[in-house]
Structure formats: structure tokens, C-alpha cells
């Protein structure tokens, strides 16, 4: 207590300077500053060119630290396994791994059957790729293994070998909407494929859903009643509901899949034709090199499978990462899945990806890392080596029921329709297009169609952004849309215009049209009328010049005539008539000079080309400010559009300024030679308020009674 009391005043005295320093800093940030345009800002801030780093230079660096960093980057297990909290996570990962393995066993058998392969290959696909992902993956919660959309017949064993290519993973990562909504379409294909195991069908399982359903309905009378009325599906549904109800009380979920596979009476279900053969005991196939002759035939299918598999895996990985607060590396995920399929293909595995149902089980049963995946793969290895004989005479109907019941999580995405209708109808449109494209066109074409549609929708959205006229919020330097903020008022004589999207080739014309419309002035009409009047003025000048030339010719001809008459007449007549003849000679010149002088005065009066002098209506503002804070880049079309805006509004006596450009945009304006003698950096200001202040200090003449011409 004594030590605490003694240290109290010292701590208080030590905090005083810190508090005073913080107050001084606060006062330093509240300061009056001069008005700044871009030229003054660069001089004040000593702007220079940003240092450029070339990525290839980083790749070519050779050092011990660089090699260690590359090893840790491409082998993430070396990063997280030494820091693994054994006491906190090990028990949960063990239970989670066993739960996933019990679930993965019958699913792997069913998916092998779906692919037209012996059931043991389903177990191989549940062991090798899962262990490889344990070494190279970055997601802690996704469960890698066989997936029905990737196991359709016609794709040879190991057919999907995307390899550890560094494709950056940008396209599927950017297309988040189609990627997530695509899984619901996959559910429809999976459901239909499992129904085909119940009812005989001659259609290939990778055919579109309408063909499959029509074929199933046509062949339905030929199906066996014992196969169709299996209670395995009902048991699985009840077990799933019980697991959800008792999730907090049960240490691990009840293995419903395992119970249905080994349940009483299943061995005779559907007869021998409706069963899968027994699993060989103690056999692991040796590695087989890929057949290079099949590369050209499988390239298209392999690319489609790799794209679909990566899209599903990275979508679920990012969902779990956001939920649990860690980061998933898209590039490393592509490497991990590529290696899983590459090495798995060498050991006769079919393509694998991430399963939503197994991933949810792995998360809900306490899984915290890929140690759960390692436990699951080792349990599958134990079954392959020692316990294979326990799973003989497996009924196809039960395996199909296992897959269908495990689609419950994906089918729950149908409820997204109502929420998307209320939240974002553009995303709802993407959802519907993706779902229908996946159902009607199959997985690969459906995903491609969804990505293309989402990209087109992005272009459409940028073509129709929100345009607004800004007004000043009272007693602040903040400017907001006058249509949304009732207290925000337009600055008299100044128009501030803003777009919510960047200006580029797809929307540059819409930007100019919206600007002219929101300003309330038909700029094109005023310019055309002004040009007509100026053209008429030039024609009057030309006529006046022609008239002056004609008068000069007449004066010259009359002077020659008078001189010849005076030479032939007598001296007396010349003397008597000299005054009159001189008047006759001089008067045309005088008249010509008078006419020329009056014509010049009239032409000077017509030279005034202002709107007021031409009798045209004038805008009710003298300055236009373009708020360019939303611009992230500019292209050549944007540069030309901005130049045209300066030219057109200056034609109607409105000065144009720009404000709030980011430094990269300023650099692009400089690179595009946007600034010149007519548009300098003095027309670009650090903020909208700076531009408004400058425009009020340097206004152009405004008419006494301004006339606004609406479009």
C-alpha cells in the first residue's frame, strides 16, 4: 500500500507533460491556413515523384533472408505449427478430425460411385489431397476432399492437374457474388446426380439438369420400390436435427452417415446390382506418371475443373476467415489446391476441392486448425490399410441419400432470395442469373456466364452513378448533396458538381450530359446560338468591307473624269468652275471616308461577343467546380471530356475549376499533358472549399437579372 501511495503522485506528475503535449498537438491541428491550389500545394509540400519499385527486382534478389521468406510463404505449416496452442486447440481438433473422417468416409465412397470409379478411389481422394493441403493451405477451417461437381463421369482419374501455377487468383476472388451464388447451382446438379442413382437413367451425369430430370421421370416406373423407399435419408435427417438441437451438450456429432452405412438391413437393399463392391484391404496404389498424350484432350476440362474448384474453396475460406478473424492468402490457396490435385492425380485420385457440409462440421465440432484435416486423413488411411473389409456390399441408395442430406447447408442459400430482395436487388439479379446458368449450362459454363454477367453489371453501374450538386453545410467547409441535406445551400454564383464513380471511357459522355443538365443551362444550345450570331456578325463585317471597296472604286473613277474635262476646257471656264469641280472631286472621297469611319465604329460595336451584347440569356452562376474526389484513375477519354467541359463552359462565360484530386490522378493528368497555358494547376485546388473561396474572390461579371435556360 505504501509503495502504491508513493508512486501515485509521481505517476500524476509524469502524466501532466503528456497531457499538455496532447493538448498542444490538438491545437496544432486546428489552424487557419491559406487558400491552396495544386501549384501552391506542391510547392508547400515539396511534392516529388513517388519511388517506383519493380516487382521483378524483388523476385531476383538472392539472399538467405529472401530464401527463408519464400520458404515460409509457400510452406505455411512452418509458420503456424510451432505456435500451435496444444492445450487450447488439440482436443477440439481431434474431435473435429474424427467427425469429419466419419462423415468423409461414406461421402468419398458415394462420390467415387458418382464418378463411375471403384469405391476405394474415393478413399484415396480423401487421404492424399487432404494431407497435402494440411502442409500448404492457409485456411484453418475448410475441409478439402472429393466434391460431386468435380467428380462427374468422363473426367479421367487425376484429370484435373492445375499445378502450382501462380495465377494470382484475381478473377475468382474479385467475382465474389457469382462465386458464392454458384454453389447453390452446384447443389441443384448434385441433387439431380444423386437422384439418378435411385432411378435408372441413360443420360450422362454431366448433362444439364433438365435432361437428367426428364430422363429420370421417364424411367421412374422401372426403378425398384425397395431402393426408392430406403429409410436412410429419413434417419440422416433426424440425426442432423438431433445434432443441431444438442450441439452444446454433445462432445462430437452423432455419426449418422456411419450408422446408415453399417445399419441393419442395408446389405440386401436394392439387390446385388444396387450395391458397391467391397474395399480391398491393405492396398495403396503406387504412383503413376501422367499420360502426356492426354494433355491436349484434358486441357479444357482441367481448366474448367480448376476454376470451379478454386472458386468454391476460396469463397468458403474467406467466409470462415472473416468469421474467425484471420487472413486467407488467395495465391497460396491456389498453390495448395494445385499441389493437392497434382500429387493426388499421381496417386490415382480424382479432383478435389472444399466441401461446405464437411467444413461446417469441422468448424462446429471445435476445429481450430488444419490439424483436424491431418487427423481426418490419417483416420482414412487407417480404414484403407486395416478396416476396409468392414465396408463391403455398400448400397448405392444409402450413399445417394448421404449426399442429398448433406446438401442441406447449400439448399439453405435459397433463403438468400428474400434478404437480397430487401438489401440489394442487383446482387439478387446476379444470384438468379448464376443459379439459372449453372442449372441450364452446367458448372463450368455457368460460372463463366455468371462472371461475365457480373462484370457487365459493374460496367452498367459505373455508367449510371449518382450525380449531385453540392451545397455548403452552414458554418462548415463541408459540402453535401442539396437533394439529401436540406440545410446544405448552394453558394451564390458557384455550382459544385460531383459524381460518385470515376470517369472513364464508358461513362465520360454520361458525365458531361449530367453536368450540363444538373447545372440548369442548355450549354450546347447557348453555344450554337452564339456561333450563329457571331457568324452573322462576320457576314455583316464582310458586307461592310465590300461596300467600302466599292465606294473607293467610285471615288477613283470620278476623280479621273474630272481631270480630263478640266484639261480640254478654257482657262476661264476652269477658273470659274474650279471651286465646283474641286467640290465634285473631293466630296466622294469625303463621303467614302465618312462611310468608312462610320462602318468601323459599327464593326467595333459588333465585335463585342459577350452573351449580353449578343442578346442571349446568361447562366446564373459565374464559376463551376468539379469535385474529382471519386476519381481513382483517368484515361484519354476522360482527359478529352474534361478539356471539352472547360472549353464549353468558358464559351458561355463560366470559369471552371477542379478540386480534391488524389496524387495518382494528378500524376496521370500530368502524364496525359492535360495542363497547358489555358488549363494550369492554378485551376486545381486542394479541396472544394478552397475552390469555392477562390471563385468567390475572382468572380466573372454576373448580369443584374440572370436568365436560366433549362434543357
Amino acid at each position: 500500500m505504501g509503495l502504491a501511495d508513493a508512486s501515485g503522485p509521481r505517476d500524476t506528475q509524469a502524466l501532466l507533460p503528456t497531457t499538455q503535449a496532447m493538448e498542444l498537438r490538438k491545437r496544432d491541428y486546428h489552424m487557419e491556413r491559406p487558400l491552396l491550389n495544386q501549384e501552391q500545394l506542391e510547392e508547400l509540400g515539396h511534392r516529388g515523384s513517388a519511388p517506383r519499385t519493380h516487382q521483378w527486382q524483388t523476385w531476383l534478389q538472392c539472399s538467405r533472408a529472401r530464401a527463408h521468406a519464400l520458404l515460409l510463404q509457400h510452406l505455411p505449416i512452418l509458420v503456424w505449427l510451432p505456435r500451435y496452442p496444444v492445450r487450447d486447440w488439440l482436443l477440439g481438433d481431434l474431435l473435429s478430425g474424427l467427425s469429419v473422417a466419419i462423415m468423409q468416409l461414406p461421402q468419398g465412397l458415394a462420390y467415387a460411385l458418382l464418378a463411375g470409379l471403384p469405391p476405394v478411389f474415393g478413399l484415396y481422394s480423401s487421404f492424399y489431397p487432404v494431407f497435402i493441403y494440411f502442409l500448404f493451405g492457409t485456411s484453418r477451417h475448410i475441409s478439402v476432399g472429393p466434391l460431386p461437381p468435380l467428380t462427374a463421369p468422363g473426367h479421367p482419374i487425376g484429370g484435373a492437374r492445375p499445378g502450382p501455377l501462380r495465377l494470382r487468383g484475381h478473377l475468382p476472388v474479385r467475382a465474389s457474388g457469382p462465386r458464392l451464388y454458384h454453389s447453390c447451382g452446384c447443389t441443384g446438379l448434385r441433387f439431380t446426380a444423386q437422384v439418378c442413382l435411385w432411378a435408372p437413367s441413360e443420360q450422362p451425369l454431366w448433362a444439364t439438369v433438365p435432361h437428367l430430370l426428364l430422363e429420370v421421370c421417364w424411367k421412374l416406373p422401372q426403378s425398384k420400390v425397395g431402393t426408392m423407399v430406403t429409410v436412410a435419408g429419413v434417419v440422416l435427417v433426424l440425426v442432423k436435427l438431433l445434432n443441431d438441437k444438442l450441439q452444446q451438450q454433445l462432445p462430437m456429432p452423432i455419426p449418422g452417415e456411419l450408422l446408415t452405412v453399417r445399419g441393419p438391413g442395408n446389405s440386401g437393399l436394392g439387390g446385388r446390382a444396387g450395391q458397391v463392391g467391397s474395399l480391398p484391404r491393405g492396398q495403396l496404389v503406387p504412383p503413376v506418371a501422367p499420360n502426356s498424350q492426354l494433355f491436349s484432350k484434358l486441357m479444357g476440362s482441367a481448366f474448367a475443373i480448376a476454376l470451379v474448384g478454386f472458386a468454391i474453396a476460396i469463397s468458403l475460406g474467406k467466409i470462415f476467415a472473416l468469421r474467425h478473424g484471420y487472413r486467407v492468402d488467395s495465391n497460396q490457396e491456389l498453390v495448395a489446391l494445385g499441389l493437392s490435385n497434382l500429387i493426388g492425380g499421381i496417386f490415382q485420385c480424382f479432383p478435389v476441392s472444399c466441401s461446405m457440409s464437411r467444413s461446417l462440421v469441422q468448424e462446429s465440432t471445435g476445429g481450430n486448425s488444419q490439424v483436424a484435416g491431418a487427423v481426418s486423413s490419417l483416420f482414412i488411411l487407417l480404414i484403407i490399410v486395416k478396416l476396409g473389409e468392414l465396408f463391403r456390399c455398400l448400397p448405392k441408395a444409402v450413399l445417394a441419400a448421404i449426399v442429398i442430406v448433406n446438401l442441406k447447408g447449400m439448399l439453405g442459400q435459397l433463403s438468400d432470395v428474400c434478404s437480397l430482395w430487401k438489401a440489394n436487388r442487383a446482387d439478387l439479379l446476379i444470384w438468379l442469373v448464376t443459379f439459372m446458368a449453372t442449372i441450364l449450362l452446367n458448372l463450368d459454363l455457368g460460372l463463366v456466364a455468371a462472371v461475365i454477367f457480373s462484370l457487365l453489371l459493374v460496367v452498367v453501374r459505373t455508367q449510371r452513378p449518382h450525380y449531385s450538386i453540392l451545397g455548403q453545410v452552414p458554418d462548415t467547409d463541408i459540402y453535401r448533396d442539396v437533394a439529401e441535406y436540406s440545410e446544405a445551400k448552394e453558394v451564390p454564383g458557384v455550382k459544385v458538381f460531383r459524381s460518385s464513380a470515376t470517369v472513364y471511357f464508358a461513362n465520360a459522355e454520361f458525365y458531361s450530359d449530367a453536368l450540363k443538365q444538373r447545372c440548369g443551362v442548355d450549354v450546347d444550345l447557348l453555344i450554337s446560338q452564339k456561333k450563329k450570331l457571331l457568324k452573322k456578325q462576320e457576314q455583316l463585317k464582310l458586307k461592310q468591307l465590300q461596300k467600302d471597296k466599292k465606294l473607293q472604286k467610285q471615288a477613283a473613277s470620278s476623280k479621273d473624269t474630272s481631270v480630263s474635262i478640266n484639261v480640254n476646257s478654257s482657262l476661264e471656264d476652269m477658273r470659274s468652275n474650279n471651286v465646283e469641280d474641286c467640290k465634285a472631286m473631293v466630296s466622294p472621297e469625303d463621303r467614302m471616308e465618312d462611310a468608312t469611319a462610320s462602318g468601323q465604329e459599327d464593326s467595333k460595336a459588333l465585335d463585342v461577343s459577350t452573351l449580353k451584347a449578343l442578346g442571349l440569356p446568361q447562366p446564373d452562376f459565374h464559376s463551376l467546380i468539379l469535385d474529382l474526389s471519386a476519381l481513382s484513375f483517368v484515361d484519354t477519354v476522360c482527359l478529352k471530356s474534361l478539356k471539352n467541359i472547360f472549353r464549353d463552359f468558358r464559351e458561355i462565360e463560366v470559369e471552371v475549376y477542379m478540386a480534391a484530386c488524389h496524387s495518382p490522378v494528378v500524376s496521370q493528368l500530368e502524364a496525359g499533358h492535360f495542363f497547358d497555358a489555358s488549363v494550369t494547376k492554378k485551376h486545381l485546388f486542394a479541396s472544394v472549399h478552397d475552390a469555392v473561396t477562390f471563385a468567390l474572390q475572382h468572380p466573372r461579371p454576373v448580369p443584374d437579372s440572370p436568365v436560366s435556360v433549362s434543357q
Side-chain angles (χ1 to χ4, degrees), residues 96-127:
S96 177
L98 291 176
S99 302
V100 173
I102 293 172
M103 183 178 179
Q104 198 167 24
L105 170 63
Q107 286 187 5
L109 300 176
Y111 298 161
L113 175 64
L114 177 61
L117 300 173
V120 69
F121 288 105
L123 299 184
Y124 293 156
S125 302
S126 301
F127 166 63

Side-chain angles (χ1 to χ4, degrees), residues 133 138-143 168-177 179-180 310-334 337 354 359 363:
Y133 186 83
T138 60
S139 176
R140 304 202 314 243
H141 293 89
I142 66 172
S143 175
R168 305 297 297 174
H170 285 324
L171 179 60
V173 173
R174 298 295 183 266
S176 59
R179 187 182 70 241
L180 295 175
F310 176 69
I312 297 173
I314 194 61
S315 64
L316 293 177
K318 287 187 175 294
I319 290 174
F320 289 120
L322 290 174
R323 185 180 299 176
H324 295 277
Y326 62 93
R327 182 178 177 272
V328 172
D329 188 351
S330 302
N331 298 322
Q332 185 59 29
E333 285 297 298
L334 186 60
L337 289 174
C354 169
S359 299
E363 181 201 28

Side-chain angles (χ1 to χ4, degrees), residues 453-468:
F453 178 78
S454 64
L455 293 178
L456 291 176
L457 191 60
V458 169
V459 174
V460 172
R461 282 178 168 181
T462 57
Q463 283 185 331
R464 299 295 183 184
H466 179 67
Y467 299 110
S468 56

